[in-house]
Amino acid sequence: MARIVMKFGGTSMAGIERIRSVAARVKREAAAGNQVAVVVSAMAGETDRLVGFCREASPLYDPREYDVVVSAGEQITSGLLAIALQAINVPARSLLGWQLPIRTDTAFAKARIDTIDTDALEESFAAGAVAVIPGFQGVAPGQRITTLGRGGSDTSAVAVAAAIRADRCDIYTDVDGVYTTDPRIVPRARKLAKVTYEEMLELASVGAKVLQTRSVGLAMKEKVRVQVLSSFTGRADGDGAPMADTLPGTMIVGEEEIDDVERQLITGIAHDKNEAKITLTRVPDQPGTVASIFEPLAAANINVDMIIQNIAHQSASNGASSTSATDVTFTVPAADLARSIEALNQARETIGFGELIHDTRVAKISVVGVGMRSHAGVASTMFTTLGARGINIQAISTSEIKVSVLIHEDETELAVRVLHTAYGLDAEAA
């Protein structure tokens, strides 16, 4: 008997027939004698619809009330799946975030999980029932509903798996694993059998939409074995729904589980169009100024990615005295652009910048691989390849196993294709 957390994304829950298909898969795992907890997302498109309502009501909505609205989607699917399971004679009970409870901090719309009480889950297991948990949501001090950020159901699933010491956390989605890049852009992209936690963390953080970044970081910290697989693989009727451990998905594992012969220089290429570039001009070039820019953004829980500070130039001169100024450019999530502009304008007097310029027509392209640690020339190949196709690089950031560049969004697909070929990631033609 194993303890398994099964997580189903929005496309898997998009309508009653698909929910019945999910119920059949869950029944197969439970019938094998496994203790099963299921974490569900809202129906495909539902969260976007609810977010749209919030934005229509007010572009600068109260995050506390935003969480009340957008958490409703997962509540609906958890109840529907419990009903569908009961209809096929599987004991099931929905447990909302506040009922477990999943306790979080008060960073509304981007809350972080503090603790999960497992008593209710243990009671379900002891009774032979399946626990159905709405992902993406928790409860803050004061009994306010919170949400964990877009894609937060992945984090919910990994957190539950860690709390109950699950043997495996299976993430069912609309793709059958992790690929070297988006196969819709590069048809010859290859599916990977195994990816390290560290590589998946980088890929998720730079645009790969298979898993939420925080879920991977939590899995790495808690050593939760995560499998990415498709809910549309194989039959999903009562007798034909395949067992998860027989499906050819992608395992997210520790680096020690990947043999040297399986390891390659570059594991994958990701792209992200959900970026916005902000430039503050004529910023005083003096100690403390950069801190004054990013402190209000941090206070507003806005993540900053790429940062560029131009070489200072003399902006004014008066006899023996002169002042220097510089331009500071950085990127933020496109969804946070309006709040970023508001926070910076409120701090304008403290920062002392001249003009705020923003651009949403940008994309981030990243190459990721643990093999970078022991091989030189990865960045050079990237810059040379893009330059040869006339693609201008607006910003660069690096880590030990990642190189990212910012380019115009219209050149995204071309950049991904040529880089995929340049690093030898294309699958051989059938």
Side-chain angles (χ1 to χ4, degrees), residues 165-235:
R165 301 182 183 275
D167 296 277
R168 194 177 68 241
C169 180
D170 293 331
I171 307 288
Y172 289 83
T173 181
D174 55 354
V175 296
D176 58 352
V178 179
Y179 281 74
T180 49
T181 196
D182 189 338
R184 293 169 298 184
I185 295 178
V186 182
R188 293 176 68 179
R190 293 183 287 108
K191 185 171 69 174
L192 301 164
K194 293 180 181 178
V195 178
T196 69
Y197 291 123
E198 194 172 2
E199 287 172 325
M200 195 67 240
L201 186 62
E202 290 282 18
L203 286 168
S205 70
V206 294
K209 297 178 175 60
V210 179
L211 291 172
Q212 189 205 41
T213 306
R214 283 165 53 190
S215 71
V216 183
L218 183 60
M220 181 166 62
K221 175 186 174 186
E222 300 293 339
K223 303 301 181 186
V224 175
R225 294 177 59 82
V226 176
Q227 182 176 207
V228 177
L229 62 169
S230 173
S231 56
F232 304 107
T233 301
R235 294 168 55 195

Side-chain angles (χ1 to χ4, degrees), residues 108-341:
F108 294 95
K110 296 180 181 179
R112 303 189 74 85
I113 296 173
D114 290 331
T115 62
I116 297 179
D117 190 327
T118 61
D119 289 348
L121 289 171
E122 294 293 349
E123 289 176 9
S124 290
F125 293 150
V130 171
V132 184
I133 304 163
F136 182 54
Q137 66 174 244
V139 58
Q143 302 303 304
R144 296 287 311 192
I145 293 174
T146 56
T147 62
L148 310 182
R150 297 306 298 266
S153 292
D154 290 341
T155 299
S156 300
V158 173
V160 169
I164 65 173
R165 301 182 183 275
D167 296 277
R168 194 177 68 241
C169 180
D170 293 331
I171 307 288
Y172 289 83
T173 181
D174 55 354
V175 296
D176 58 352
V178 179
Y179 281 74
T180 49
T181 196
D182 189 338
R184 293 169 298 184
I185 295 178
V186 182
R188 293 176 68 179
R190 293 183 287 108
K191 185 171 69 174
L192 301 164
K194 293 180 181 178
V195 178
T196 69
Y197 291 123
E198 194 172 2
E199 287 172 325
M200 195 67 240
L201 186 62
E202 290 282 18
L203 286 168
S205 70
V206 294
K209 297 178 175 60
V210 179
L211 291 172
Q212 189 205 41
T213 306
R214 283 165 53 190
S215 71
V216 183
L218 183 60
M220 181 166 62
K221 175 186 174 186
E222 300 293 339
K223 303 301 181 186
V224 175
R225 294 177 59 82
V226 176
Q227 182 176 207
V228 177
L229 62 169
S230 173
S231 56
F232 304 107
T233 301
R235 294 168 55 195
D237 56 29
D239 295 324
M243 298 292 287
D245 54 10
T246 67
L247 295 178
T250 298
M251 290 297 301
I252 315 300
V253 296
E255 190 172 343
E256 67 280 359
E257 294 191 42
I258 298 183
D259 297 333
D260 287 339
V261 294
E262 297 176 301
R263 187 169 296 152
Q264 54 191 21
L265 174 60
I266 298 300
T267 297
I269 298 172
H271 69 281
D272 188 1
K273 293 185 178 180
N274 298 311
E275 295 274 316
K277 182 176 69 172
I278 295 176
T279 298
L280 300 182
T281 68
R282 300 190 302 279
V283 175
D285 184 40
Q286 59 190 30
T289 298
V290 173
S292 70
I293 294 172
F294 297 111
E295 283 174 353
L297 296 176
N301 290 307
I302 296 170
N303 292 324
V304 175
D305 186 14
M306 298 177 169
I307 303 173
I308 299 174
Q309 182 172 346
N310 294 338
I311 297 174
H313 56 274
Q314 202 171 62
S315 61
S317 180
N318 183 14
S321 63
S322 65
T323 59
S324 295
T326 185
D327 296 342
V328 178
T329 298
F330 52 92
T331 59
V332 298
D336 289 333
L337 179 59
R339 293 197 301 122
S340 299
I341 292 172

